[in-house]
Amino acid sequence: MTESTLTKVVLSEDQIPTHWYNIVADLPTPPPPHLHPGTREPLAAEDMTALFPMGLIAQEASTERWIEIPEEVRAIYRLWRPSPMYRARRFEKALGTTAKIYVKYEGASPVGSHKTNSAVPQAYYNMLEGKTRLVTETGAGQWGAALSFASEMFGLSCDVFQVRNTYEGKPYRRMQMEVFGGKVTPSPSNRTHAGRELRLKFPHTTGSLGMAISEAIEEAVKDPNASYALGSVLNHVALHQTVIGQEAILQLEAFGERPADYLFACAGGGSNLAGLSFPILRENLEGRASTKIVACEPKAAPSLTEGEYKYDFGDSSNMTPLLKMYTLGADFVPDPVHAGGLRYHGMAPLVSHCYSEGLMDAISVKQLDAFAAGVMYARAEGIIPASESCHALAGAVEQARKATEDGSSPVILVGVSGNGQLDLPAYHEFIQGKMADS
Ligand SMILES: *Cc1c(COP(=O)(O)O)cnc(C)c1O
C-alpha cells in the first residue's frame, strides 16, 4: 500500500457521531458501583436527584452500548466538531523518528479544550428538566469556562468556584468565564459552610479541586432550581467524551492507518483519555485491534501509577458518593504544577476499572519533560498544546525514541486535549529555564 500523503483529515458535519459509546456494555467484568457514603450500599437514582437531572443519572448507571446524542446537542457540537486529526510529520522529523505520529486535536473548541463535549449535554439535560442554574468547581478554569459557555447556549446561569491559587494567578481563564456569562468565586470562600470550615482549618490554603467541589455541591443542594455539574471522573462525563474516539477511528481509517499500535492521552480525572480510548478499547475487545492504551499522568498527581485502588470520596469534605478508584486520598493536595487540569487526587472509576483489569497502561511524566515535548511540538506543527496535553506528547516522544532505536515504525495516536494559548506564562517560565521539575 502506498503511504497516505495527507496532512490532516477533517470529517464532514454529518460524520459527527449520532450516539455516545458506553464501554460498560462491552467490559469483560462489570465495574464496581458507586456507593452511598452513609450506608455503603450501591447508590440509588434517588440518592443523586439533589445533584443531577434524571437524564444524566440514567446515563451514569446505564449498561446500554449506544446512547443517542440529542439533536440540540449535535447542533452545538457542529460549532467545532468533528475535530481534526493531523499527521505530525514535522514533529516526527524533529524527533528523527521512524514512528508515525497522529494527533487528534480538541483545542479548536469554543474554550480551547475537550471539556465542552460534556458541558453541552450536561447543560442540555438540566435545561430539559427545568433547572435554571448550574453550580460547579474549576481548577485551572477550563471546565468552568466550558460550563459557562454551555449554560449560555441553553439560557442557564452558571456559578463557578475556582481554586484560589489559579483565580489569583491565572486571571485570563476567569475573564474567559466572565465573557461566557459565568459568575466566578475564589475557593475556599466564605459563601459556604464547607468553605468557612476549610478556611478555619487551613488559613493559608491556596485551595484545591477537592475543596472547590465541596463548596459547589453545598451551594447546588441549597437551591431546588440548581444542579451540580462535574467536568470529569463520572461515567456520564466519560460517555460524552467518546465522540473523540469514534471520530478518531474514522480518521485513522482515512489515513490508511487503522488500527494504531499505541494511544497516549493525558489523565487528570480521566475524561479525555476515556473519550479517545474507549471506542478504540472496544476494537481491542472485539479482536479488530491491539492498540496499547497509555494514560499519561503528571508526576505531581500520580493516582494510577502510585495511588491505591479503593473506595474514596471525590472531594475533601466527604460530600460525594464513594467511588471505587485509584486515589492518592481525598485530602491530598498536589503540588501547584502548571497542568492544573491534571491536579486531582483520584481517577475516573471506569478508567480505574480498565486499568486494574489490565486493559490499559499508565506512566507518570515529569513537568520539564512535558514542556520540552510541548515546545518541540509547537515549533514543528504550529499548535501550542495545553500544558496537560504536553504530558501525552511526552509519552509519545518516549515511545517514538524506542521505535527509532529498534528500527520499527509503529503508528502512535496522541490525544491533544486542548490548546495552550492561556498557558503561555508556563511556557515562558520553561523557556527562561525557571521552571521547577516535579
Ligand atoms: C481538564 C483538562 C484535562 C484533564 O482532565 P481529564 O478529565 O483527565 O480529561 C486535560 N487536558 C485539558 C486541556 C483539560 O482542560
Side-chain angles (χ1 to χ4, degrees):
M1 190 169 67
T2 55
E3 190 169 296
S4 155
T5 55
L6 294 173
T7 298
K8 62 180 185 297
V9 169
V10 183
L11 303 171
S12 66
E13 283 184 24
D14 58 13
Q15 289 172 294
I16 295 173
T18 55
H19 293 72
W20 292 299
Y21 168 61
N22 184 6
I23 187 81
V24 175
D26 289 319
L27 286 172
T29 51
H34 308 334
L35 301 184
H36 188 284
T39 62
R40 296 189 74 98
E41 289 296 318
L43 208 61
E46 312 85 78
D47 299 330
M48 285 185 278
T49 48
L51 293 182
F52 301 115
M54 275 316 293
L56 296 175
I57 293 171
Q59 292 176 0
E60 189 63 24
S62 174
T63 54
E64 294 282 306
R65 181 171 292 110
W66 299 105
I67 295 174
E68 191 168 7
I69 305 177
E71 197 39 56
E72 293 89 334
V73 170
R74 279 184 96 230
I76 296 173
Y77 277 174
R78 283 191 190 100
L79 294 175
W80 71 95
R81 303 214 73 82
S83 69
M85 181 183 285
Y86 299 96
R87 166 91 184 262
R89 278 205 184 76
R90 289 178 182 80
F91 187 51
E92 291 167 12
K93 199 162 166 212
L95 287 166
T97 184
T98 48
K100 295 187 263 183
I101 301 177
Y102 293 86
V103 166
K104 178 67 169 162
Y105 181 54
E106 291 296 310
S109 87
V111 302
S113 77
H114 68 290
K115 297 235 170 45
T116 40
N117 297 332
S118 184
V120 170
Q122 289 196 42
Y124 168 78
Y125 289 108
N126 276 290
M127 174 278 295
L128 206 60
E129 294 178 33
K131 301 287 177 179
T132 56
R133 175 177 170 229
L134 291 177
V135 190
T136 196
E137 73 291 328
T138 195
Q142 289 107 316
W143 170 245
L147 197 69
S148 297
F149 159 74
S151 298
E152 191 59 31
M153 290 290 107
F154 293 109
L156 309 175
S157 68
C158 185
D159 210 336
V160 185
F161 288 91
Q162 181 173 20
V163 175
R164 186 172 291 276
N165 164 45
T166 50
Y167 178 92
E168 285 164 2
K170 298 181 178 174
Y172 292 108
R173 196 66 77 174
R174 183 207 328 156
M175 295 171 194
Q176 191 185 34
M177 290 188 259
E178 289 165 357
V179 169
F180 285 125
K183 188 177 145 226
V184 192
T185 306
S187 166
S189 75
N190 286 327
R191 273 180 68 191
T192 64
H193 176 72
R196 289 188 295 271
E197 291 268 290
L198 287 162
R199 294 190 77 172
L200 272 180
K201 225 164 122 188
F202 310 105
H204 303 294
T205 185
T206 52
S208 74
L209 212 45
M211 293 180 191
I213 294 176
S214 300
E215 290 209 273
I217 291 182
E218 181 184 327
E219 193 65 22
V221 170
K222 271 198 291 218
D223 176 358
N225 297 315
S227 278
Y228 170 65
L230 191 63
S232 187
V233 181
L234 295 177
N235 302 357
H236 66 267
V237 186
L239 175 81
H240 299 152
Q241 295 294 349
T242 59
V243 290
I244 306 174
Q246 293 183 66
E247 290 174 6
I249 289 173
L250 295 180
Q251 287 164 309
L252 278 177
E253 212 161 52
F255 273 114
E257 292 288 19
R258 181 185 177 183
D261 298 299
Y262 295 93
L263 182 164
F264 291 89
C266 64
S271 76
N272 89 89
L273 164 72
L276 178 61
S277 70
F278 284 176
I280 288 172
L281 181 53
R282 174 170 186 250
E283 300 293 290
N284 285 354
L285 291 169
E286 302 201 337
R288 288 188 291 273
S290 50
T291 304
K292 183 171 157 140
I293 298 166
V294 186
C296 303
E297 318 190 289
K299 201 86 188 137
S303 49
L304 287 173
T305 49
E306 292 176 41
E308 209 184 317
Y309 189 37
K310 62 175 189 189
Y311 275 102
D312 196 8
F313 291 99
D315 70 317
S316 357
S317 302
N318 303 355
M319 291 165 84
T320 68
L322 284 164
L323 307 173
K324 179 93 185 262
M325 59 183 178
Y326 283 87
T327 173
L328 298 159
D331 51 8
F332 177 82
V333 178
D335 282 345
V337 285
H338 288 285
L342 304 183
R343 290 182 69 221
Y344 186 63
H345 67 273
M347 184 55 65
L350 283 176
V351 168
S352 294
H353 180 68
C354 291
Y355 181 67
S356 80
E357 295 285 300
L359 303 174
M360 283 185 186
D361 289 294
I363 57 170
S364 67
V365 175
K366 290 185 187 164
Q367 177 158 260
L368 289 180
D369 292 338
F371 276 88
V375 168
M376 196 174 188
Y377 187 79
R379 288 178 182 171
E381 299 289 335
I383 285 174
I384 303 177
S387 47
E388 292 85 2
S389 315
C390 290
H391 292 71
L393 286 164
V397 164
E398 181 69 23
Q399 196 65 50
R401 293 220 162 101
K402 281 184 202 150
T404 310
E405 278 163 25
D406 63 27
S408 62
S409 29
V411 173
I412 300 176
L413 172 60
V414 191
V416 170
S417 49
N419 78 56
Q421 299 296 341
L422 296 186
D423 296 330
L424 290 177
Y427 276 94
H428 177 68
E429 208 176 274
F430 175 79
I431 288 165
Q432 299 292 305
K434 291 182 182 144
M435 180 179 280
D437 215 345
S438 25

